[in-house]
Amino acid sequence: MPRWLPRAFVLALALYSCFLLGNWAFHQLIGLLVNILLAFFLALAIEPAVGRMAARGMRRGLATFLVFFAVLIFSVGFVVLLGSMLAGQIVDMVENFPQYLDSVINWINQTFHTELSRVEVQDSVLSSDWLQKYVQNSASGVLDVSATVLGGLFRLLTIFLFSFYFAADGPRLRRALCSVLPPARQTEVLRAWEIAVDKTGGYLYSRGLMALISGVAHFVLFEILDVPYAPALAVWVGLVSQFIPTIGTYLAGALPMLIAFTVNPWYALWVLCFVVVYQQFENYVLQPKLTSKTVDIHPAVAFGSVIAGTALLGAVGALIAIPAIATLQAFLGAYVKRYDVTDDPRVHGHRRYGEAVVARLQKALHHKKDNAVEESRGGDS
């Protein structure tokens, strides 16, 4: 047996053991790594505001605290306003439920010639087996819901703490990273960091502006239709439609449609039509103008990046996919050499019919002329 074989066997076994240990540690820490990644992008998003306040002489830690405090106040106010709206609406729906049930039963009796009554329907529902099982499962799932809520609050606190440290100690973090790199690499890292800050902050601010415009437009509609809780619904539509990718528009329009339906069923149809029309206006007019200088990527690339981010990291991947792709595109664009595009009509995706006909005629005339020249040369020979 060669002398190197036992050493190679031990080395291979050690490498395999390290791989298993690293794989186990990665799966155990995947939640923490995702939280750190989300906190890093959140720190990049607030970096422009913190940098402006620090440039005016304010301490960076205090500037970061003020930005996070403003975000916290806005978030708490939105949740309280939306919660009060939902609580009031649920109370109204519960109080008016007998009237809704009577109207539905009357419609069924008139349409299908039945003789149903509200008392019979209520007794049948209350004595059903599926309702008793649902109540039992709900009672046993209260602890699971409480644990989920506490876990979500702890995760949110972790993200805010990491993002606070990333934003407050941003210069120190960049110096520590550049200290282990040669000067040429330091320039590239700082350039990539600056692009990431611009793209992430630009994405957040452009989305915030579009949320404001969307909220104002829907608020006007809700006031015209006299839909209850119009301010809270407008804020809901603006934020959810802009900051939840792909399906945010549908989630944002569902709640106003439901509340408008309780006022008048035709109002729900009006809300649906307005949501669809405004979405087209936003996609083709508003969004290209607001995002042309921040996250100028093709809509198909944006959609594909959201799908890929969701498949890799779930909801977190969907949130950070677009700014991440925009950053990567802007960083790689500096290393791709570009040339002037030719004036060939095929480059522009169309070719006018008249030009095609003229080209065919010229080609036929040249071909006929060449044949005549060949025949004349053959006759002379």
Side-chain angles (χ1 to χ4, degrees), residues 56-67:
R56 295 180 178 179
M58 185 179 295
R59 295 181 58 183
R60 194 173 181 87
L62 179 60
T64 306
F65 173 77
L66 292 178
V67 172

Side-chain angles (χ1 to χ4, degrees), residues 100-381:
Y100 296 148
L101 186 59
D102 288 337
S103 62
V104 172
I105 291 176
N106 293 332
W107 179 81
I108 293 175
N109 292 333
Q110 294 176 3
T111 304
F112 301 100
H113 304 288
T114 57
E115 296 181 355
L116 297 177
S117 62
R118 184 174 27 134
V119 177
E120 295 177 355
V121 174
Q122 290 177 351
D123 293 340
S124 62
V125 171
L126 293 176
S127 61
S128 60
D129 295 334
W130 67 268
L131 182 60
Q132 296 177 1
K133 293 180 180 180
Y134 177 77
V135 171
Q136 293 175 359
N137 295 331
S138 300
S140 61
V142 171
L143 295 177
D144 296 336
V145 173
S146 302
T148 303
V149 171
L150 291 177
L153 292 177
F154 179 76
R155 183 179 181 182
L156 189 63
L157 179 62
T158 302
I159 292 173
F160 270 95
L161 285 177
F162 274 109
S163 59
F164 180 84
Y165 291 137
F166 285 150
D169 293 338
R172 184 185 303 176
L173 180 61
R174 288 190 287 271
R175 289 195 298 268
L177 182 61
C178 292
S179 64
V180 297
L181 298 174
R185 297 296 180 185
Q186 293 179 15
T187 304
E188 299 299 329
V189 169
L190 293 177
R191 182 174 177 275
W193 192 296
E194 184 179 0
I195 292 175
V197 169
D198 292 339
K199 295 300 180 180
T200 306
Y203 172 76
L204 180 64
Y205 298 145
S206 61
R207 287 289 174 178
L209 182 57
M210 287 192 294
L212 177 62
I213 297 173
S214 176
V216 171
H218 287 85
F219 173 75
V220 172
L221 174 68
F222 298 151
E223 283 292 327
I224 293 174
L225 298 179
D226 198 18
V227 177
Y229 306 101
L233 288 177
V235 174
W236 165 266
V237 173
L239 292 180
V240 174
S241 63
Q242 300 302 325
F243 290 99
I244 296 182
T246 308
I247 61 173
T249 303
Y250 309 104
L251 292 178
L255 182 60
M257 287 177 57
L258 178 62
I259 296 180
F261 184 83
T262 60
V263 179
N264 191 332
W266 288 104
Y267 288 176
L269 181 61
W270 280 107
V271 171
L272 175 62
C273 294
F274 184 83
V275 168
V276 172
V277 172
Y278 180 82
Q279 186 65 28
Q280 305 308 313
F281 167 76
E282 181 182 279
N283 291 338
Y284 294 103
V285 178
L286 188 61
Q287 184 173 349
K289 292 183 178 180
L290 294 179
T291 61
S292 59
K293 297 181 180 180
T294 55
V295 285
D296 187 16
I297 59 178
H298 195 274
V301 177
F303 181 75
S305 63
V306 170
I307 298 299
T310 305
L312 292 175
L313 298 176
V316 176
L319 289 174
I320 67 176
I322 294 179
I325 293 298
T327 302
L328 181 62
Q329 175 179 297
F331 183 73
L332 296 179
Y335 300 96
V336 177
K337 187 176 181 180
R338 300 184 180 274
Y339 301 92
D340 294 334
V341 180
T342 181
D343 293 333
D344 195 316
R346 291 171 292 183
V347 175
H348 304 286
H350 63 87
R351 189 174 183 179
R352 287 180 292 184
Y353 180 74
E355 294 179 355
V357 172
V358 171
R360 291 176 184 175
L361 290 176
Q362 291 177 352
K363 185 176 180 180
L365 291 175
H366 284 299
H367 183 69
K368 186 176 181 180
K369 184 177 180 180
D370 293 339
N371 290 337
V373 171
E374 292 293 334
E375 290 176 358
S376 61
R377 289 179 180 178
D380 294 340
S381 62

Side-chain angles (χ1 to χ4, degrees), residues 26-42 155 158-159 162 166 309 312-318 320:
F26 177 78
H27 284 84
Q28 294 296 323
L29 298 175
I30 185 64
L32 178 61
L33 296 177
V34 171
N35 291 341
I36 292 176
L37 181 62
L38 187 58
F40 179 71
F41 271 90
L42 181 59
R155 183 179 181 182
T158 302
I159 292 173
F162 274 109
F166 285 150
L312 292 175
L313 298 176
V316 176
I320 67 176

